[in-house]
Amino acid sequence: MALNKSMHPRNRYKDKPPDFAYLASKYPDFQQHVHTSLAGRPVVNFKEPEAVRALTCTLLKEDFGLTIEIPLERLIPTVPLRLNYIHWVEDLIDGQKKPRRGIDIGTGASCIYPLLGATMNGWFFLATEVDDICFDYATKNVEQNNLSDLVKVVKVPQKTLLMDALKEETEIVYDFCMCNPPFFANQLEAKGVNSRNSRRPPPSSVNTGGVTEIMAEGGELEFVKRIIHDSLQLKKRLRWYSCMLGKKCSLAPLKEELRKQGVPKVTHTEFCQGRTMRWALAWSFYDDVIVPSPPSKKRKLEKAQKPLSFSIPESGVKELQAKALAAGCTDCSPVNCITVLLEKTLTELRVMHKRVPCRKPLESLFLTAVENTWIHGRQKRREQKRQLRELPRAPQCSGTSSQTSGVSASPHAPSPSQNELTSRQEDDQAGKTLTIGEEIEKSAAAANEPPPKRPHSPGTVQHFLFQCLLKVMLEESEVVVEMHWVGGQNKDLMNQLRTYLMNSLLKAVLYRHRNVNH
């Protein structure tokens, strides 16, 4: 039940999901649909219509004292989702435990919204239905729960929404209307063809319902637009108009339609339960209604960010173990040896780090990067290579040319002064070349030596680039290093550091391997 934590705060199933074991022990009709999983937990197969029906009837009986009957060939509602809708309407009309008057468009065989609203809050309902079978079951469910004085079920012609249903009741002002419209436009959509993202997993529960309950011309989008059209004529006959949506993509065009029609008050929400998401839209023509804020754009349930990682193969691990032991490491385990080498590199980079207690064979380091030192080293190495490529060769000066001419003119008898001049010129040029070489060596040394050590104290650090948790772990024969983002300015900086640490380890393996071969 991944989305249960985002249920409506008053939903009784938010923090206490149904106890299948207890319900099975109390209700024999439900017990036959409860099985034990391989992990030893009681489970229900939501692919079986009988099991879904048994659970719905059992929850309504146990938690609300309602006894209902639902045919398998009609829509079987889930209680937590319908309860979310009821609670949201309570927020719209300030109707918790207060008498209110509402309309349920297409109440279905269960008549679940009127039964819950009447039982929980004493609401009066006009429940409309176009299907004969649904009308008969809804009427029976209201009567057997002794709620006929609060719920009136009326049979209406096909395609009737609000206008025709309110023809005879011209004096009554209703507080709200609810509707669970047919989601699909045709059979293909109902089966998920071309209407469901291929990356999404298949539905976790069976799709039941009659044709009029799950399909309508144009799907839910056109169905709700018809309700909007009716509301533009009825206007203040209802304080709030609302509909539940099965597709998030329907929300934006419907809100745009309301905007075009000049509807002053519009809001929406999300219904989260189990693995199912639904959306709801509400609008009003009253100026004095309080409009609940829509949910934050930033989802409450965010997927855990994947860590940045790299792995060291078994052959590399052995090489690094040998290097760490040669450097004085006392614990010869692969994870600890790699951690010691990483600590050495982090110290050279002046990245603050401290070990975090954890279970063996895992090692964890909490890193705080105050300045970007890993990029500077790479730039220096690039500058070093550039200077080496541009190292000037010893030029031939005019004296050398004269000397060469002189030698050519009289090769058999070079004068002593010419020999001395040539020697001095060669010495001078060698001196110049040596001076340039020394500068390059100094530059190379500056690039390779660690930055000047200016250790930061954790207590003095107020500003930092980023913080992360570095984990070193053994997976089969490889060592995996993960970096988990904690906070800071830019995740790209952490990725740069990851690349630097990875290269420093792999280069050490390559360097040691070359030395062994030589």
Side-chain angles (χ1 to χ4, degrees):
M1 294 193 173
L3 297 172
N4 280 7
K5 293 300 180 182
S6 292
M7 278 186 176
H8 191 284
R10 294 196 299 276
N11 195 311
R12 66 184 302 139
Y13 304 109
K14 180 178 186 294
D15 299 313
K16 189 179 179 182
D19 185 340
F20 291 160
Y22 168 76
L23 294 173
S25 66
K26 188 173 180 180
Y27 298 93
D29 291 341
F30 179 63
Q31 183 180 25
Q32 59 183 311
H33 301 289
V34 178
H35 311 285
T36 303
S37 69
L38 295 176
R41 295 180 299 178
V43 295
V44 172
N45 185 0
F46 288 93
K47 294 289 187 181
E48 297 178 357
E50 296 86 352
V52 177
R53 179 176 64 178
L55 176 60
T56 294
C57 293
T58 299
L59 290 178
L60 289 174
K61 181 65 176 178
E62 174 67 18
D63 297 327
F64 302 96
L66 294 169
T67 302
I68 69 167
E69 298 177 20
I70 313 171
L72 288 176
E73 64 271 16
R74 292 296 183 266
L75 186 67
I76 302 171
T78 54
V79 179
L81 170 58
R82 270 58 180 186
L83 198 54
N84 270 342
Y85 196 175
I86 288 287
H87 286 315
W88 189 56
V89 171
E90 289 174 351
D91 297 338
L92 288 173
I93 64 174
D94 187 26
Q96 189 178 3
K97 304 294 183 183
K98 298 177 182 178
R100 294 288 186 264
R101 197 173 289 272
I103 302 172
D104 182 20
I105 303 172
T107 194
S110 64
C111 199
I112 189 168
Y113 290 130
L115 292 180
L116 287 175
T119 300
M120 294 168 58
N121 298 314
W123 291 348
F124 295 87
F125 265 94
L126 174 65
T128 69
E129 183 53 60
V130 300
D131 181 80
D132 290 331
I133 295 177
C134 288
F135 172 77
D136 292 339
Y137 271 89
T139 302
K140 182 179 179 181
N141 287 331
V142 171
E143 292 174 350
Q144 68 184 3
N145 286 285
N146 300 315
L147 291 172
S148 298
D149 55 336
L150 293 177
V151 180
K152 178 182 179 181
V153 184
V154 295
K155 179 74 165 56
V156 295
Q158 286 282 351
K159 295 187 177 182
T160 297
L161 297 178
L162 286 171
M163 289 296 296
D164 294 335
L166 295 179
K167 278 183 178 179
E168 299 179 2
E169 301 185 24
T170 57
E171 301 296 328
I172 300 177
V173 174
Y174 285 85
D175 294 287
F176 66 94
C177 73
M178 306 176 69
C179 181
N180 186 12
F183 293 159
F184 309 111
N186 49 55
Q187 286 283 1
L188 290 178
E189 272 196 16
K191 294 178 180 178
V193 179
N194 298 328
S195 67
R196 190 177 183 88
N197 192 316
S198 59
R199 292 175 295 179
R200 292 179 59 193
S204 57
S205 60
V206 67
N207 182 18
T208 63
V211 174
T212 59
E213 293 179 297
I214 65 174
M215 286 186 294
E217 184 179 350
E220 67 179 9
L221 190 61
E222 293 303 318
F223 192 95
V224 177
K225 282 184 178 180
R226 288 167 51 206
I227 296 179
I228 292 175
H229 183 266
D230 280 5
S231 73
L232 293 172
Q233 300 178 64
L234 294 169
K235 289 199 172 178
K236 293 191 175 183
R237 287 288 307 279
L238 283 82
R239 290 184 63 83
W240 278 104
Y241 300 84
S242 75
C243 291
M244 186 166 72
L245 303 171
K247 303 175 185 177
K248 188 177 181 179
C249 61
S250 300
L251 191 59
L254 290 172
K255 290 174 69 176
E256 177 62 17
E257 179 69 18
L258 290 167
R259 187 193 66 79
K260 287 181 179 179
Q261 299 297 339
V263 179
K265 305 284 186 176
V266 179
T267 188
H268 72 276
T269 193
E270 296 174 348
F271 298 144
C272 310
Q273 51 283 311
R275 297 178 183 175
T276 303
M277 284 287 298
R278 292 289 183 264
W279 297 263
L281 180 66
W283 62 98
S284 175
F285 295 90
Y286 280 81
D287 295 327
D288 62 340
V289 296
I290 298 175
V291 182
S293 300
S296 171
K297 289 183 179 180
K298 185 177 180 181
R299 287 289 308 280
K300 296 177 182 178
L301 288 177
E302 293 183 347
K303 292 182 179 179
Q305 295 291 329
K306 290 184 178 180
L308 300 178
S309 64
F310 63 89
S311 58
I312 304 169
E314 182 179 8
S315 58
V317 171
K318 292 179 179 179
E319 297 284 351
L320 292 173
Q321 276 183 282
K323 180 179 179 181
L325 292 173
C329 178
T330 55
D331 185 348
C332 62
S333 67
V335 169
N336 185 69
C337 287
I338 302 297
T339 305
V340 168
L341 295 176
L342 288 171
E343 286 177 317
K344 181 177 181 297
T345 304
L346 292 169
T347 300
E348 293 172 351
L349 293 172
R350 298 197 307 275
V351 176
M352 296 172 58
H353 58 277
K354 62 178 180 180
R355 292 211 183 192
V356 179
C358 57
R359 293 182 180 180
K360 300 293 182 180
L362 175 70
E363 291 289 353
S364 294
L365 300 174
F366 187 81
L367 310 187
T368 300
V370 180
E371 56 183 321
N372 189 337
T373 52
W374 48 92
I375 290 298
H376 297 324
R378 184 164 56 183
Q379 289 175 344
K380 288 180 179 179
R381 286 194 297 275
R382 287 176 178 173
E383 180 65 18
Q384 172 194 347
K385 291 179 180 179
R386 185 189 66 78
Q387 290 179 357
L388 287 172
R389 287 195 301 268
E390 296 178 358
L391 183 65
R393 294 185 179 183
Q396 291 182 346
C397 63
S398 57
T400 305
S401 301
S402 301
Q403 175 260 340
T404 304
S405 302
V407 170
S408 302
S410 50
H412 302 291
S415 65
S417 61
Q418 287 176 333
N419 289 335
E420 291 173 2
L421 178 60
T422 302
S423 176
R424 282 198 301 270
Q425 288 171 342
E426 289 176 351
D427 290 342
D428 291 343
Q429 189 60 50
K432 292 178 182 177
T433 305
L434 180 62
T435 302
I436 296 174
E438 287 174 346
E439 291 177 358
I440 297 300
E441 288 178 4
K442 290 178 181 178
S443 176
N448 291 323
E449 71 181 10
K453 293 186 178 180
R454 291 175 294 169
H456 298 277
S457 170
T460 62
V461 173
Q462 296 180 350
H463 304 286
F464 52 84
L465 297 179
F466 69 86
Q467 292 179 325
C468 69
L469 188 65
L470 185 147
K471 295 182 179 181
V472 186
M473 63 197 78
L474 190 66
E475 290 188 2
E476 296 180 354
S477 59
E478 295 184 343
V479 170
V480 176
V481 179
E482 291 184 349
M483 297 176 71
H484 298 256
W485 177 261
V486 174
Q489 300 177 13
N490 194 332
K491 291 185 180 180
D492 288 339
L493 296 173
M494 185 174 78
N495 189 35
Q496 293 170 4
L497 180 58
R498 177 197 71 90
T499 303
Y500 187 99
L501 296 175
M502 177 180 67
N503 290 341
S504 68
L505 291 176
L506 296 180
K507 284 179 180 178
V509 172
L510 182 61
Y511 178 78
R512 183 177 177 84
H513 183 68
R514 285 177 177 174
N515 286 346
V516 170
N517 288 341
H518 288 308

